[in-house]
Amino acid sequence: MDKAFINFKYVDAIARAGSIRRAAEALSITPSALNRRLISVEDELEVQIFERLPRGVRLNAAGEILIQHIRTQLSDFERVKSQIADLSGFRRGEVTIACSQALLPFFLPEQIDRYRTEHPMIQVCVLPRDRSAAEAALADFTADLAIVFEPIKISDFHPIITVRQEIHAVMDRSHPLARKTKLRLRDCLEYPLALPTKAYGVRWLFDQATEKRNQSILPLLESDSFEFLRMAVRNTDLITLQIEVGLAANETKKSVISRPIVELDIASGLLHFGHLRGRVLSVAAAKFATQLAQVLSERYESV
Amino acid sequence: MDKAFINFKYVDAIARAGSIRRAAEALSITPSALNRRLISVEDELEVQIFERLPRGVRLNAAGEILIQHIRTQLSDFERVKSQIADLSGFRRGEVTIACSQALLPFFLPEQIDRYRTEHPMIQVCVLPRDRSAAEAALADFTADLAIVFEPIKISDFHPIITVRQEIHAVMDRSHPLARKTKLRLRDCLEYPLALPTKAYGVRWLFDQATEKRNQSILPLLESDSFEFLRMAVRNTDLITLQIEVGLAANETKKSVISRPIVELDIASGLLHFGHLRGRVLSVAAAKFATQLAQVLSERYESV
DNA sequence: ATTACTGATGCAAAAATTGGTACACTAAAC
DNA sequence: GTTTAGTGTACCAATTTTTGCATCAGTAAT
């Protein structure tokens, strides 16, 4: 185990756990030891970092400043290690990316596989996060990069590239609508719908489109899991929606297919790829970012 | 003693000393202990930081990257401590300033005194440095701020303010030239001169002025110490040169007085005040910088 | 050849850290 | 009210880590 910054890592763990005892468990040490580490840090700074509550601890103002520094710091050190490993010849490091569910089945596995063939020593970590959680992961340095669809607030988010995403209807290959190459929204509304919950961007665009027509459509099936929705439409007349990046590249042999919906009926959304503003990426993360940005710009219309 | 970053501080000390034994002495520990600390750091990074030479150690490529990070790091931590102390009510911290000798007798003592009445807890450190050494002190984070007269290379130097400095002749109050209020260069050349060595900006401007007239003037007395030169002219007909900022504000009761030389005869020089480019100053240093910049802009013509 | 300096290593003593336990305290559950 | 479950913290012995000392091996200048 890494001994550098051990105290800072402990403080970070306490801040994340919200309790010394829980943090101690996560770190596999006794609460008393961790407590003394914290007190020794506070003594050195001559300032309290956490306020002690009956149910745990919480960062105070000084702690907020410190934790921000600690996380910047730890991330910077990763970058330095990455740089050093880089000039030692063999590339090492790790990249963590927070992204919408839509990227999980096809896009990211393909890209990571391609990336790993060039940089086999690099460890890639994928965190599925909804729109707000992805930004939170960037903010607390849990993730280096994020790909989010239709984010709510985009403060502190530095976009590398933003691409437009058409909405597609996803259905069984034997579905009546499968014969058409392009669908109208009204075609879809004649069939039962299986949609993501309102937390997701696709659903939000769908609700906007139906509101505009003064139709309030309730889906027959709702789920947080895109994978479940994709599986649910098999062998039924259900229809679900998905953005381009979440579709398989080659559908000829799949049991589930997709058809684009004309843009007049339902607006296309924006997929944002970027990192925390002001953050300096490690060599590993920067290379991965470059690859993703290139692929996205090749495949989709960038704005 | 501060235990955080202890290993990084040790590495920094070794880098500065160029030898483990000498660094160990400076740190008041045994060379063996320090050596093992270094080895443990290198083991964690899985990279050598120093190349071992028969006469000591020297940073290798990886070490250069690391030492830069370490120094940024230590300086950042100072800034954070300063911020934390700031919101705790009582201000604490330290400011280190590298400056030309001319600032030592009057300007800096006055400014520091004023600064300390407002911020009594802040420790101020003054390092007299010639033009190149001042920039080196900024670069290796030894100093937060620098005031240099006519610097050679100004790369990585971020100027806060630059002011013009007239050259003055400094002499005993009974000197024949003391009757005049403004001097010509040829007046001065009729008397023996006591000048700084060629490393200093005033001397450089003087040499340029005399070269332009195809006169090569050799000073009777040369010294590295501005204070010595000022003392040397007392009760003699010697004349020395000094820039405005190095003169006493009120000369009426002094035994040594100064008279400006007309600008046509000897060009005025530039006094640069600034910090390392890209560096984020601590609260303490930033406040001091603001004060100095204000005073300089009030007293002298800024460019 | 000699001298003076360098970094590295083995070993015992010293110092720091840890785990276990008990205690005081508070919010929630009963 | 009382109980309960959870919290942070202090004390002490055991353990781990770090240190100082003496020594070795190597190199550059004398």
Side-chain angles (χ1 to χ4, degrees), chain A residues 211-255:
Chain A
E211 263 178 35
K212 206 166 58 181
R213 322 174 134 224
N214 289 322
Q215 302 174 289
S216 73
I217 308 293
L218 289 179
L220 194 72
L221 189 56
E222 254 192 351
S223 172
D224 264 344
S225 163
F226 288 13
E227 188 189 3
F228 169 76
L229 292 172
R230 197 174 64 248
M231 295 305 183
V233 301
R234 285 181 308 178
N235 307 320
T236 71
D237 62 345
L238 279 168
I239 291 181
T240 185
L241 301 180
Q242 182 57 282
I243 55 178
E244 297 177 71
V245 75
L247 304 171
N250 186 350
E251 293 183 331
T252 53
K253 286 180 290 188
K254 307 273 181 181
S255 67

Side-chain angles (χ1 to χ4, degrees), chain B residues 221-251:
Chain B
L221 189 57
E222 254 192 348
S223 172
D224 264 343
S225 162
F226 288 14
E227 188 190 4
F228 169 75
L229 292 172
R230 197 175 63 249
M231 294 308 182
V233 301
R234 284 180 308 176
N235 308 318
T236 72
D237 61 344
L238 280 168
I239 290 182
T240 185
L241 301 180
Q242 182 55 283
I243 55 179
E244 296 177 72
V245 75
L247 303 172
N250 186 351
E251 292 182 333

Side-chain angles (χ1 to χ4, degrees), chain B:
Chain B
M1 158 82 179
D2 225 11
K3 274 206 320 185
F5 311 111
I6 186 100
N7 277 6
F8 279 0
K9 285 182 179 168
Y10 283 178
V11 170
D12 188 31
I14 296 174
R16 290 180 191 275
S19 143
I20 294 182
R21 291 183 114 99
R22 257 178 294 153
E25 192 170 7
L27 296 168
S28 313
I29 58 172
T30 34
S32 65
L34 184 56
N35 180 42
R36 272 177 303 227
R37 288 305 258 266
L38 170 58
I39 290 177
S40 85
V41 169
E42 290 180 331
D43 282 352
E44 274 187 28
L45 293 174
E46 299 176 11
V47 181
Q48 285 247 110
I49 302 304
F50 291 94
E51 32 180 336
R52 271 65 167 178
L53 306 174
R55 307 292 296 176
V57 293
R58 186 172 56 199
L59 288 166
N60 63 17
E64 292 287 355
I65 294 178
L66 182 65
I67 204 73
Q68 190 61 32
H69 170 72
I70 287 178
R71 287 172 183 168
T72 310
Q73 153 95 357
L74 293 175
S75 129
D76 276 10
F77 191 57
E78 289 304 314
R79 195 189 77 243
V80 167
K81 283 199 288 190
S82 167
Q83 283 177 2
I84 290 179
D86 219 41
L87 56 80
S88 303
F90 59 102
R91 169 183 300 284
R92 283 192 339 162
E94 60 178 82
V95 184
T96 300
I97 182 165
C99 66
S100 297
Q101 273 190 57
L103 287 293
L104 299 181
F106 306 110
F107 183 79
L108 269 187
E110 177 195 341
Q111 294 306 317
I112 291 174
D113 186 57
R114 177 177 150 196
Y115 182 65
R116 289 183 50 93
T117 57
E118 288 180 37
H119 312 298
M121 303 294 289
I122 296 187
Q123 179 183 354
V124 180
C125 175
V126 176
L127 305 174
R129 291 292 139 95
D130 66 44
R131 304 181 283 181
S132 59
E135 296 197 50
L138 285 186
D140 70 2
F141 294 85
T142 305
D144 304 309
L145 301 167
I147 308 184
V148 284
F149 185 61
E150 289 291 313
I152 307 170
K153 60 152 194 178
I154 50 170
S155 64
D156 292 337
F157 182 83
H158 173 79
I160 299 170
I161 188 175
T162 301
V163 294
R164 193 173 298 284
Q165 288 284 297
E166 271 188 350
I167 309 296
H168 284 231
V170 176
M171 66 203 81
D172 192 89
R173 69 179 310 119
S174 64
H175 196 282
L177 290 181
R179 286 166 301 161
K180 303 196 179 188
T181 56
K182 198 137 183 147
L183 302 181
R184 299 301 302 255
L185 183 56
R186 62 168 175 270
D187 298 333
C188 304
L189 298 183
E190 291 174 10
Y191 295 91
L193 294 173
L195 296 183
T197 58
K198 302 206 176 203
Y200 293 90
V202 203
R203 174 65 178 275
W204 189 74
L205 290 172
F206 173 81
D207 285 351
Q208 282 230 318
T210 54
E211 263 179 36
K212 205 166 58 181
R213 322 173 134 225
N214 289 322
Q215 300 173 287
S216 75
I217 308 293
L218 290 179
L220 193 74
L221 189 57
E222 254 192 348
S223 172
D224 264 343
S225 162
F226 288 14
E227 188 190 4
F228 169 75
L229 292 172
R230 197 175 63 249
M231 294 308 182
V233 301
R234 284 180 308 176
N235 308 318
T236 72
D237 61 344
L238 280 168
I239 290 182
T240 185
L241 301 180
Q242 182 55 283
I243 55 179
E244 296 177 72
V245 75
L247 303 172
N250 186 351
E251 292 182 333
T252 52
K253 287 179 289 186
K254 306 274 181 184
S255 67
V256 171
I257 58 158
S258 70
R259 295 286 180 268
I261 302 177
V262 298
E263 276 208 46
L264 287 169
D265 291 350
I266 184 166
S268 59
L270 296 181
L271 186 69
H272 299 260
F273 172 44
H275 57 81
L276 189 68
R277 190 177 304 284
R279 175 101 185 266
V280 183
L281 294 178
S282 69
V283 179
K287 293 245 177 182
F288 191 45
T290 304
Q291 177 189 318
L292 290 192
Q294 193 208 332
V295 170
L296 287 174
S297 74
E298 282 171 4
R299 294 193 186 167
Y300 309 109
E301 175 199 355
S302 58
V303 300

